[in-house]
Amino acid sequence: MSEVSLTLSELSKYDGSDPSLPVYVSIRGNIYDVTSGPYSKSKGAGYSVFAGKEIARPLAISSVKPEDITPSIEDLTEKQMETLQKWEETFSKKYKIVGKTKNE
C-alpha cells in the first residue's frame, strides 16, 4: 500500500463512522492507522473523540475535550512537548504510520 497524503478535512472521514474505511489519527502530521485501538466512533470508546483528527495538542495537554482538539501546538510548554514526545513514541511502537497530512 502506498503512503497516504490527506488534508485535515480529508482525515476527518477516517473517524470510524464508515466501516469500510480504516480509523486514522494524526500526530504532528504523521498519520497513524489506529483501527485496532480504542479510537473508532463505532466502538464508542473514550478516545473516539480523537478519530479522524490531528491530536498532538490534546495528547500534550492530557485532554479529551473536543475544544482542545486543534492542530495548534505553538503555545505548548516544554513539559507539554515532552509529554507529546512520549505519546509519539508510544504510538509509533503500537501503530503503523501510513502517511502524512498536507495543507488544505
Side-chain angles (χ1 to χ4, degrees):
M1 184 173 128
S2 62
E3 188 172 281
V4 297
S5 180
L6 303 170
T7 65
L8 293 180
S9 295
E10 292 167 336
L11 179 68
S12 69
K13 296 174 186 150
Y14 294 84
D15 66 355
S17 57
D18 181 343
S20 70
L21 295 174
V23 181
Y24 292 160
V25 298
S26 173
I27 303 173
R28 289 205 273 189
N30 287 317
I31 300 172
Y32 294 84
D33 183 338
V34 296
T35 306
S36 64
Y39 299 93
S40 174
K41 288 192 184 305
S42 64
K43 295 179 183 173
Y47 296 114
S48 65
V49 69
F50 291 157
K53 308 261 187 341
E54 165 58 53
I55 62 169
R57 180 177 196 78
L59 290 178
I61 65 174
S62 302
S63 173
V64 293
K65 294 178 185 172
E67 61 268 23
D68 291 329
I69 303 173
T70 70
S72 173
I73 61 169
E74 293 80 22
D75 62 337
L76 296 178
T77 66
E78 186 175 332
K79 184 165 178 50
Q80 289 168 331
M81 289 301 290
E82 288 171 9
T83 299
L84 176 56
Q85 180 63 38
K86 289 177 186 171
W87 274 112
E88 284 179 301
E89 290 168 10
T90 298
F91 268 74
S92 55
K93 288 176 188 168
K94 191 168 184 177
Y95 303 109
K96 182 180 181 197
I97 296 174
V98 295
K100 300 230 180 250
T101 58
K102 62 183 178 181
N103 293 330
E104 295 289 330

